[in-house]
Amino acid sequence: MSDRNRLASETIPGMNRPRAQKIRIGELLIKEGLISQEQLEFSLATQKKTGTKLGDTLIELGFVSSRQLLQCLAKQLEVEYVELTSYELDPRVPLALPETISRRFRALVIADDGNELLIAMADPANLYAYDELSKFLKRPFRMAVVRETDLLRTIDTVYRKTDDLLNLAVELGAEMDDEATDGAEEIGLDDAPVVRLLNSLFEDAAHVGASDIHIEPDTKELRIRQRIDGVLNEHVMNEKKIASALVSKLKLMCGLDISEKRLPQDGRFQIKVRGKALDVRLSTMPLQNGESVVMRLLDQSGGNLKLDQIGMPERIVNPFRNFIKRPHGMVLVTGPTGSGKTTTLYSAINEMNFPEKKIITVEDPVEYRLPRINQVQVNAKIGLTFARVLRAALRQDPDIVLIGEMRDQETAEIGLRAAMTGHMVFSTLHTNDAISTAIRLLDMGAEGFLVASALAAVLAQRLVRRVCESCKAEAPLLPAEQTWIRSEAPELARGANFVKGSGCSACNQTGYSGRIGVFELLRIDHLLADALRRGDSAGFANLAKQQAGFETLAICTFKYAMQGITTMEEVLRISGQIDEGPGLEDENTKAAEEDLIEASSGTEGENGLAEISLVSKP
């Protein structure tokens, strides 16, 4: 041992300094019998072409798993290997290291037994990082090796801004008590606590990928909720009195009237968070306990996507491209708020944005700014309605017109007539599926012949939650899920295994991480057009379901569940069915469940469900 190593060990007893030697991962894996010499040579040749690390190349080629690689490294360094995603981590323990140091050295304190710390690192052989951590901590510690992706994800989770939010809320509340005022506008809205609190709020939202922020004053507390992957997550603050300061500052940022607290107001502003430009759409609403604020966060880079970048499958994207490239006609995108309709339309517009094309959009509000495109913001207060702007837009000689939403009969009829007179028209409609969209146009008062002649295709879409890759495992099907499969997709499900996330640090114990789009595309052929001309809604629906290649949103989601991308819980949610829980099923449901269980034991029933995995495999 060198004098320096001996000094480090003697200064802080109990430290297990990693071996000061060059580790050749390829030779190490051969020694352990995990790969052959031929596999190593092939991997080295591949690495020269790709420029990636050898370990990553070996994993990518399938010669070794990440677990095997890290376990081998841990054995060589005589340190622990930790599966971080399933590790029960006390959120207070990692705070022994500041976030800057944790990120700089890719190190995270994951355990403290009172005597020594356990530090997870992606590269425990980094002697420089080891020495710097020793200087900072001045406590005995031992090392553990973990996956780098898991480590970075856990660091992001641990060093969220929630503690900062609470501390700043208390600081702002104390300042307001000192000022002894009722109106936030009287305390100096540019003071540090308000600004820092809002900055922390936006940083935390961007950090976790929140799409919306809700600020809701309650009787005795303030609730701040963030919508992550379509689900609201709540933080409760006891400093209710700071709500007025936050709302007033946000109103000023939007240029709204801070003295008006009795009427709803809408505004927008831009903010830069973590190097990204976010466009914030703000809506206020008077409540019994104050004013509620909801902010939609829009990443401006989202308006520059192409159709094959938004997760649209090939069976949808190719025919959809054919429809949007037509010289005239109408294409509608439908789905609830937050389902990605605007992103899909902007992606379509991006693919058609050429110098020879004149494109005009009529929106409320304009969500993304795009070059070469004439974008108009609707303003009903001054009479600048969808219908009025659309009439003016058609006199501007456009090739393509995007209407933000079909809200009334007048707008729908103008759009349909434009589609019949040489224009390509894109728009959205709030309906449950593609089939009900055309029928909805008839219900709005549009003439059947107009809809039949102008409407080319309808794309319905939803966002479903992805199951967490870190904690997913095969899981038994619930009675309601079994019943759905039996009635909707018995043949399709043959041989399928289904998964569910148990919850881990990577997904904040939800079992889900991220979302993926599901789509159904309905083309209006001559049979469907004839049904629309007749106003035959029932006939239209029946013909649409029988159209070759047409798949419902539920079936699309079910296919993802079969592939282990999402869960049967999401299938039932998309299909609109609710699991009533055990004990509430009728006799038919129980009989169906018994049939499915019998099928899973090897007796194939009439619907061919023998190969469906209904229970976890050992």
Side-chain angles (χ1 to χ4, degrees), residues 30 35-45 58 61 63:
I30 290 177
I35 63 172
S36 65
Q37 184 66 39
E38 292 76 16
Q39 289 174 325
L40 175 59
E41 292 174 358
F42 181 79
S43 300
L44 288 170
L58 287 164
L61 292 172
F63 294 153

Side-chain angles (χ1 to χ4, degrees), residues 115-324:
N115 296 319
E116 65 177 0
L117 303 173
L118 178 62
I119 299 183
M121 293 187 70
D123 182 13
N126 187 336
L127 297 181
Y128 174 72
Y130 181 91
D131 289 340
E132 291 300 311
L133 292 172
S134 302
K135 292 175 185 177
F136 182 85
L137 290 169
K138 296 182 173 59
R139 282 189 60 187
F141 62 85
R142 52 197 171 89
M143 314 295 288
V145 62
V146 296
R147 290 189 191 91
E148 186 173 18
T149 53
D150 294 343
L151 177 64
L152 295 177
R153 191 186 300 117
T154 305
I155 288 175
D156 285 344
T157 303
V158 165
Y159 292 104
R160 284 187 61 185
K161 300 293 183 180
T162 48
D163 288 339
D164 289 350
L165 290 175
L166 294 173
N167 293 335
L168 287 168
V170 172
E171 182 181 345
L172 179 57
E175 181 173 313
M176 293 181 68
D177 286 339
D178 292 340
E179 296 290 337
T181 63
D182 291 329
E185 58 272 20
E186 300 174 16
I187 70 167
L189 291 169
D190 291 326
D191 288 350
V194 183
V195 176
R196 280 162 42 210
L197 179 57
L198 286 174
N199 283 340
S200 293
L201 181 61
F202 286 118
E203 281 188 26
D204 187 55
H207 182 73
V208 297
S211 60
D212 302 85
I213 301 175
H214 297 236
I215 300 176
E216 303 168 344
D218 210 333
T219 306
K220 296 181 180 179
E221 55 200 9
L222 175 66
R223 300 181 189 276
I224 294 182
R225 301 199 279 178
Q226 299 169 327
R227 190 174 295 280
I228 304 169
D229 291 339
V231 179
L232 286 172
N233 293 259
E234 183 176 81
H235 303 293
V236 179
M237 301 179 178
N238 293 324
E239 306 292 330
K240 181 199 176 244
K241 54 182 174 290
I242 71 172
S244 57
L246 292 177
V247 174
S248 295
K249 178 61 179 177
L250 290 168
K251 284 183 176 179
L252 285 176
M253 294 169 71
C254 295
L256 302 179
D257 184 358
I258 63 173
S259 64
E260 179 56 76
K261 301 180 180 180
R262 302 166 299 170
L263 296 174
Q265 297 187 69
D266 296 314
R268 68 187 304 164
F269 61 91
Q270 285 192 323
I271 188 171
K272 196 166 186 178
V273 181
R274 293 176 170 261
K276 290 184 178 181
L278 294 181
D279 197 62
V280 182
R281 287 167 42 190
L282 178 142
S283 172
T284 71
M285 185 173 66
L287 303 178
Q288 188 175 8
N289 300 306
E291 286 183 278
S292 167
V293 173
V294 175
M295 292 177 283
R296 169 66 58 88
L297 309 181
L298 300 170
D299 185 352
Q300 286 302 302
S301 63
N304 299 318
L305 298 174
K306 297 295 180 66
L307 288 173
D308 51 9
Q309 296 175 307
I310 63 174
M312 191 178 288
E314 188 174 341
R315 67 174 183 83
I316 297 289
V317 71
N318 291 335
F320 187 70
R321 274 200 175 108
N322 293 333
F323 284 119
I324 66 174

